[in-house]
Every structure is written in C-alpha cells, then in structure tokens.
Amino acid sequence: MKKTSILAVLFLLGGMATSGWCDADREVAVEWINICNPCGNNDLSCRDDVAVRFYNILRDNGYVGLFNFGNSLAWESDFKEPGDQNWIDKADIALHADHGNRCRFAFGNTTHDDCRLWADEAGWGNKDLEWIIFDDCSCVQHDFQWTCWEDAFRGLHLIASFDTNAHDMCDRGEYFANKLVDGWTLMQAWFYAAEQTEGAGTFASVMGANKGSISPASDHIWGFGSQSADPYPADSYWCSFHDCD
Amino acid sequence: MQATKLSGFFVVAIISAFLLMDSQAWAKEEAVRHGSASQPNVTATEIKVVYKVDLEQLAKKLPGRLMVYRTSPDQGGESQMEAVKKFFGSESNMVVDMQKASGGIFAADLNRLWARVPGFNDEVPPLNRKQILAATATFLYEINGNPQEKTVRRFSTDSVELTDKEGKQKVLPLGANITYRRILNGYKVIGPGGKIKIFHDSEGMVAGYLRVWRSLKAESVKPLIGVFGARDEFNKNPLGDTLLADISEVNVNNITLAYLERGINQSQNYLQPIYVFDCTAFYKGTEKAEGTRYTRYVAALTKQPEPLWQEGEEYKSDRRRKALPRQSSKVQKMSDESSQPTSPFTLEDKDPD
C-alpha cells in the first residue's frame, strides 16, 4: 500500500513536470521589430530593448518565457485566429513593439501573413491570454475609436497601449515590468511607465472588458496580486487615458 | 518488479526535467539577431513634408546661440522624502521611489492613483479645478516643494470612456494632473523630465507626486544649427523615433526651441537645446484624411555634448519553433487569486537585469 502511494506521487510528479504544471503556469511572450522598412515604416532602435527587458524581468520573477521573436521572426499570424492559439494566445501576458496606428499595429515580415494586424483580425483569451501590450503609436484611441478592439476580447482582460503618438524609448518595458512585479496593477504600471518615458502630447491608454460585476480594471499579473475572472462574454467596455505631460 | 517500476518513473521524471531545461536553453542559445537575409530590402515609403510655418520669419525670430547647462542629480527630492511620507500617512498604500540617476522622486498612494475605473452607472461628479489647485498648493507647501525658479503651470485631466450593453457612451473623469515646467532663457524644459507633477484622483485628492528636476549649472553659450539646418535634419526622417505607422504626409505646424530633460532613471550630464517640430501626420490608404498630432525633437547644437537619449543595447531573439513546448495550466493560477498585492516601499534604485 505504502509503495503504491509512493508510486502514485512519483507518477504525479512526472506528469506535472512533463506538462509544465510546476513552473509553466505563468507565461510571457514578446514580439518586436526594429527593422520595419519591409513593411513600409521607418526603422527603429529600441524595440528590442523594450520587449526583451520586459521579458527578462518577468522571467526573473517566475514567469516562463514562451517566446521572444524579433524582426523578421515576428509574424502577424502569431496574433491572428486561429494560429494565435499556438502562439500569443498561449501566453498570459504578451507585448508587441513596433509601429502602430488606429486599430492596427505593424510587423516587419511581409509573408506571415502580412504587414498589419487589424483589430477585426484579433480574438484573444479563448486560449489563455489575459493581458496584451501594444507598445506602438495610436492603436487604442480616444473618442471611442478604441471600440474597434471590442471583438478581440474573448476572455482577454486588458489592452495597454497609446491613444496618441509615442516614442521609441528603450526603458519603457523595464519600468513597466518592474512595477508589475512590485505588485502594482497593470493599469498603474503602464501609466507609470508611459509617464516616465514620454512628454507633451502623449496619452497612454488602457482598455478593458466587463462582464456584469466582473471588471479587470484592478488586475495584477499572476503571482503579484489579485485578478478578476475572465470577463467573457463581455457586456460592456471601457478605456482609460492618462496625459503624460 | 516494483524496483523496476520505481526506476522507470525516475527516468520519466529526469527526462521531463531535462526537456524543460532544454527548451529554455534552446531558446536562449539558438538566437537570431535582427532578422534573416530573406527579407526584401525595401526602403520605407517616402513621406511628403509640408511646412505650414514661415521658416524665414522663424529664422529671424529664433536665436543662433543658446546656453548649455551641466546637470547633476537633484538634491531637493531627497529632502522632501520625509514630508511626502508624512503627507500620505501611514494608512495609505504608499510607494516612494528615488532614483539616483536624476535624484528624481516618485511617490504615490496606490489606493488612489489610477486605482479605480468607475462603472457606467456610477455617479462621478466633475473635477473641481479650484479644489485641485488648492490641494496642490497645500501639498507643495507641506513638502516644501514649490519650484524656486521660473515655471509654467499646466492643468490636465485623465478620463475614462465607457460603453454599456446597448452601446451607449459616457465619459467620466479618472483624475487630474498639475504640471510645473521649468523655463530657461525663455524656453520650456520638456521631455519625460524637467517637471514637477502632482497627480489627483477623481475626488481631487492628491494621489501621487513626481519630481524630475536636475540641478543645473550654466556651462557656456553654444551655436545652434539654425532653423534651416533643423529643417534639413527633419526632412531626412520626418517621423524620427515616433512609433506611427502608415504615414504618407507630414505637415509641420510650428517649430520652437526648448530644452530636453531625460526621464527619472536616466543619467544626463548636459541640458541642451532642441528644436521641437509640432506636426500633423496623415495616414496613407485611408478614406478619411484624419491627422495625428505628434512632436519630433531635433538636436539644436552644432556639436552635441551627448546624445539626446540614452542608447539601447543589442538583444537577441529566439529561434522560431513549429510549436511551443508545453501547455499552460490554470490550476495553480486559481490559487493566486487570493493573494494580495504587495505594498512595496523602496528607496533604492531598481536594477532591471
């Protein structure tokens, strides 16, 4: 009887290890593009810094890095249904760093599948993703233009991005990640990171979905505070804006 | 038989652990930097630049030389620390950060600063500007934080836009900000630094404080590249380091001079003048000719003592895999839901890596 119990425990441990249960339950993924010209935008220099510092800080704090894809290895198809379920939607928190504009963000690879991820191509959270950051310009804009992202919320809690233009600042990802692991909410950490890296004319934005009384507005990332349940199917949406000047 | 089974399970466990380690090591080692050679070398689309400002007039108006300043970390922030802590009180969820690079200070009550998003049906009274200005004055008096130099003060608001089930829309206040900016030789100090900012929640209470106010010492008067030199620099790359995509045309509405101060955690040795291009960018391929306002900074000195911003480092990306190594599990996450946010109180620099 005793031996059987030991075997059961060992079997359980083996299974946990192979499934990644022990440490793989908090996952981060990033994609960044410094070489932007293949998709018609000017090249940048800090996109890797933003994404990889963010990635490394979360990994240093118990997160498993699912992937860190840069330049031509960052693909639009990773963000798009149904392929996203094997990539971005497999992480808990993900960050994209390149250029953006109203209801879309850009890539540097023209073939997987194309150069822009448009809001109506996104559906996140039906696998795992809770939070996504677009460190790109103007993706989530005021005057209710942010509503273009509503259909992307299929279990997703929050999108953090910019209402206006923003700049290619190297240290935003690390400021953001440091505050997340200090136990700040995602909205507080994002507004703080934007405040410390931007100036006049920049507004940061955070968009969320609600389901009845379930609201992720005060979400912390896994392991560093509380979270709401998945607000799906959502019945209302909101978007908050912070003036960085 | 039992012993064989036992050793079999150990083998499974060891192999599993190896696979876990290996997948991480693989990701780190098999790195590809900055893309592959298979990408076409197409240059970014050319952007048309239209000047809506009279450059000749501007060239006559703006100076050809301007003072450059040596900077050192602010000593004023440290002396305010105790007063800031006292103001927020021991019952608040207070954080106080001081950064050695700038001597800057950031303090906040996390129960108030960007802490709550009102619901669609919540009644939130409009922000009371007088009350907010009075609260700011009291706060700055109590921490002895009033700027001693010439400044401009700006009032701005944070907001939240909401939609309900029927698609009705509403805008509610999230908070307000009072920002003091330094004025040097008649020109504003801009950027993520050079500001004293007091954050208020939607009730008008002081919720946070930021001071990035490096000490300055006049270095010497230096020649500038001039308006036409700035124009030439701008035209080489009209969007500069902004992250705007799909722009076909840029209108330059105005060009001004300013000083640029870096953010709280960046070292900076010189405060140098810049040309600030106030622009409107227009998208390509969209029906609406809507514009997005943005600012582009161009270094103004003929010889810069240091770059405007700290430069980045080289980072590697992972090699692509056909599939990710593991499934995630919700089981352990659920246990986290009962955990409480930590309440950090740190006075030290944070080293990210």
Side-chain angles (χ1 to χ4, degrees), chain B residues 13 23 38 43 67 114-115 118 133 143 196 231 259 261 292 302 309:
Chain B
S23 64
S38 63
T43 52
M67 179 63 74
W114 311 313
L133 289 171
I143 68 163
I196 292 172
R231 176 202 60 187
Y259 285 91
E261 187 163 341
T292 297
T302 53
W309 305 108

Side-chain angles (χ1 to χ4, degrees), chain B residues 25-42:
Chain B
W26 184 39
K28 286 179 190 168
E29 289 167 10
E30 298 289 333
V32 179
R33 170 68 186 167
H34 281 181
S36 70
S38 63
Q39 284 293 298
N41 186 20
V42 184

Side-chain angles (χ1 to χ4, degrees), chain B residues 34 72 74 76 158 172 182 186 199 210 215 230 238 263 269 321 332:
Chain B
H34 281 181
S72 57
D74 178 21
D158 294 347
L172 294 172
R182 196 179 231 156
F199 306 87
L210 174 66
S215 300
N269 296 314
R321 302 180 292 274
Q332 192 173 334

Side-chain angles (χ1 to χ4, degrees), chain A residues 37 73 92 116 165 179, chain B residues 42 97 246 294 320 333:
Chain A
N37 70 73
L73 301 176
D92 295 287
R116 304 284 180 270
N165 83 358
K179 293 307 178 191
Chain B
V42 184
D97 257 330
D246 306 335
Y294 75 96
R320 281 201 79 93
K333 284 175 187 170

Side-chain angles (χ1 to χ4, degrees), chain A residues 18 26 37 49 66 68 71 73 78 87 92 101 104 116 146 165 168 179 182 195 242 245, chain B residues 16 34 39 42 97 158-159 161 181 195 197 241 245-246 294 313 316 318 320-321 333 336 342:
Chain A
T18 49
R26 297 166 188 163
N37 70 73
D49 299 85
L66 278 190
N68 154 34
N71 292 322
L73 301 176
D78 298 337
W87 300 103
D92 295 287
N101 213 318
R104 63 191 182 276
R116 304 284 180 270
W146 51 269
N165 83 358
D168 187 26
K179 293 307 178 191
D182 277 350
E195 174 72 38
H242 170 63
D245 187 22
Chain B
S16 306
H34 281 181
Q39 284 293 298
V42 184
D97 257 330
D158 294 347
S159 61
E161 297 180 351
R181 287 278 183 187
K195 63 184 168 187
K197 188 166 181 178
D241 62 355
D246 306 335
Y294 75 96
E313 298 165 49
K316 292 171 179 173
D318 289 350
R320 281 201 79 93
R321 302 180 292 274
K333 284 175 187 170
D336 288 334
T342 53

